[in-house]
Amino acid sequence: MTEEQMLEKKVWAVVGANQDPEKYGNKIYKKLKNSGYEVYPVNPGYETVEGDKCYKDLSSLPKKPEVIDMVVSPKIGKSVIEEAAKLGIKNIWLQPGTYNDELLKRINELELDTVMACVLVALR
């Protein structure tokens, strides 16, 4: 799947969303929200992000996202993609720095679709 095809999907979860305006998890969340996407923040460390309820994991989301935007380290990302596969979420957007060979290998084994790019650049 291409970046364009993934960006056509309208329901997203940002794993690693946070309240720090200097961090990518916050910038990406705001950018998707301000671009008209239905977007859910996922981070067990926060109650809210940008005034919206923040969820501890993908399983606790009120709606199944079409795309998961990963803004976490590969170590954390491994459990996220396992959970995504279990929930039947196929599309994973990997921000720079969020993947390594081991994670990519597991994504292939789980037959998930990935885009490796910066969503902030893609949505300019």
Side-chain angles (χ1 to χ4, degrees):
M1 183 174 292
T2 66
E3 284 180 37
E4 289 75 25
Q5 288 169 314
M6 220 173 262
L7 289 169
E8 283 169 13
K9 311 216 173 283
K10 288 298 175 194
V11 184
W12 288 54
V14 178
V15 177
N18 60 65
Q19 294 174 340
D20 183 342
E22 295 303 305
K23 290 200 164 157
Y24 283 112
N26 183 279
K27 290 178 178 176
I28 289 163
Y29 179 74
K30 280 197 295 209
K31 181 73 174 174
L32 285 164
K33 192 177 164 181
N34 294 336
S35 298
Y37 289 86
E38 182 176 345
V39 56
Y40 296 98
V42 177
N43 188 330
Y46 292 93
E47 289 293 310
T48 60
V49 169
E50 294 299 312
D52 301 326
K53 180 174 169 40
C54 189
Y55 299 87
K56 69 180 178 14
D57 54 26
L58 298 174
S59 302
S60 55
L61 293 173
K63 189 171 187 176
K64 185 168 105 175
E66 296 171 282
V67 181
I68 295 167
D69 191 318
M70 303 281 275
V71 199
V72 292
S73 72
K75 200 173 80 179
I76 295 169
K78 194 163 188 298
S79 63
V80 176
I81 61 160
E82 298 287 347
E83 187 185 10
K86 254 185 230 129
L87 295 171
I89 303 164
K90 288 291 219 191
N91 302 310
I92 313 291
W93 187 293
L94 296 166
Q95 293 292 139
T98 62
Y99 52 89
N100 58 17
D101 291 344
E102 185 191 348
L103 187 76
L104 294 174
K105 180 173 179 271
R106 188 64 190 130
I107 285 171
N108 280 337
E109 290 166 1
L110 293 168
E111 298 179 351
L112 303 174
D113 286 322
T114 54
V115 164
M116 289 176 264
C118 180
V119 88
L120 294 170
V121 174
L123 282 174
R124 261 205 298 243

